[in-house]
Each structure stands twice: as structure tokens, then as C-alpha cells.
Amino acid sequence: SLLYARNFLHSYTMFISLQNTTARMGATTLCPGTHHCANADMEDVCLSNGAFEASSNGLTGPADDDGDGGGVMLQGDAMMFNQNVWHRGAANRDPHNPDTNRVMFILTFVTRNKGIAPLESDYRYQGLGTYYYQRWNTWGHTYQDLADADTVMRQPVAALRSLGIWKPSDRRWGITWMEHMARELANAEHFYDRDELKVF
């Protein structure tokens, strides 16, 4: 199973740059192929073996001291990749823009485990270390819901769906907030390990 060790489910993320982002500003660094690797901590391997910053101009690495060359992700450009690929946002080391944060709009598309029949479901789950940042009351929805979001994603209906309590009969369940948080709690992930829970 080593070949598919981190390829737990179909999960793809699209980053849309909301301003020009250079390598020195902390452009997203990717290491292709690492979704097939067993070790989740790939930083040392990737940084010395082929990781590169995403760019629109086909270049990678920082510009020289005069600002020439180097990769840049242009405002409005997007990249889409398997979320299980090792990636990171590096620190801002741009002496000309030391206080500028890189701002991205992020969309994630993930399959929903139904746990019923093999022909209807992908039985894999989110891998350990997978997390999403979104408001608790926006969970539980699917791509189909975006077509009429003003109806099926309004409150308090959205909150009930997020908690796994109720959904319209003609809709499928997305990943609910309760399910996601229970999984993170059970696996001591992201703010839920024992030491952090003691503080909480």
C-alpha cells in the first residue's frame, strides 16, 4: 500500500492569487508526486529534491537584487493540485514588501464517503493531517448546492445541515462539521492533541 499511502481520497485544491506573489513573498511551494509518499513530513526531502514555487511566468526561485528574473504568480491566475501533494506557504522575505501578506482565494473539491455500496462510494477518508478552514455552519454542503445557494445554504437551514441534523430530501450529505471535528479529535489533529486540549 506504500504506492497510495497518502492518496486517501480525491481531494483537489485551487488557489487563486488575489495579488502578484513573488517567491520572496512566500509563493506556494509544491513538491510533485508526494501524494504517493508514506511520510507526511516531506519538507527536508522536498526542499533538496525538486520542490518549486508556483508561478505564472514559468520561472521559479527569487528574483536577483535588481528585481530581475524569478517566479511570480500573477493576480487572477490560479493553480489546481491534489491536496495530498506536499505544499507550503513560505515566510515573506521580500525586503521591498516586508508587511505584505500573500492573499489567496482557495476552493477545495473533495469526494464524500457514503459508506454504502462500492459502486456508489469511495470508501477512503481524508488522510491524517487534512484540514479545512471554513465557518462551522458552512459544512455539510455539496457542489450541487451552489446552484441555488440562496435557498439551500441560508440560515438556519445551513447550520442544521452542518451539524448533521437535517437536509433537504433531494440533496446528498456533504462532510458535516460534526463528522470532520470528531475525526480530528479522535486522531489528535490540529489543535486537538492532548496538550492543547488541556489548555482549552
Side-chain angles (χ1 to χ4, degrees):
S1 65
L2 180 62
L3 179 60
Y4 301 105
R6 296 193 63 226
N7 196 11
F8 285 94
L9 68 133
H10 301 293
S11 177
Y12 297 93
T13 293
M14 178 182 289
F15 285 5
I16 304 172
S17 184
L18 299 184
Q19 91 278 351
N20 292 349
T21 305
T22 65
R24 288 188 189 276
M25 287 175 61
T28 302
T29 307
L30 301 157
C31 192
T34 47
H35 58 298
H36 293 302
C37 296
N39 188 351
D41 186 7
M42 298 293 299
E43 183 169 7
D44 292 339
V45 173
C46 286
L47 294 182
S48 58
N49 291 285
F52 61 91
E53 297 88 9
S55 69
S56 303
N57 62 359
L59 301 175
T60 187
D64 60 27
D65 292 337
D66 295 326
D68 296 326
V72 59
M73 185 79 168
L74 298 175
Q75 179 180 9
D77 281 358
M79 64 175 169
M80 190 168 188
F81 58 95
N82 184 316
Q83 190 182 16
N84 291 309
V85 165
W86 182 90
H87 61 283
R88 71 168 189 177
N92 183 354
R93 302 188 189 284
D94 187 343
H96 304 295
N97 298 290
D99 299 319
T100 301
N101 292 321
R102 65 186 186 104
V103 182
M104 297 238 167
F105 183 69
I106 301 174
L107 296 169
T108 299
F109 305 88
V110 62
T111 56
R112 171 67 172 104
N113 180 300
K114 302 188 199 75
I116 307 172
L119 295 178
E120 298 178 14
S121 176
D122 186 341
Y123 279 79
R124 295 173 295 180
Y125 280 93
Q126 294 165 255
L128 297 180
T130 303
Y131 59 92
Y132 304 98
Y133 292 109
Q134 63 186 56
R135 286 195 337 238
W136 71 270
N137 58 5
T138 60
W139 285 85
H141 294 94
T142 66
Y143 186 68
Q144 175 192 16
D145 297 324
L146 295 177
D148 51 355
D150 57 336
T151 302
V152 298
M153 295 179 75
R154 72 180 192 282
Q155 300 298 345
V157 174
L160 294 174
R161 191 162 179 180
S162 174
L163 295 171
I165 296 172
W166 180 88
K167 68 169 182 60
S169 60
D170 63 335
R171 300 301 165 110
R172 294 177 179 253
W173 284 106
I175 297 171
T176 67
W177 180 77
M178 294 293 285
E179 176 186 349
H180 179 68
M181 298 313 290
R183 190 177 303 139
E184 290 205 332
L185 182 61
N187 292 300
E189 293 186 73
H190 305 290
F191 318 117
Y192 291 98
D193 65 37
R194 287 185 175 86
D195 292 336
E196 292 167 326
L197 286 173
K198 287 177 186 176
V199 175
F200 180 75

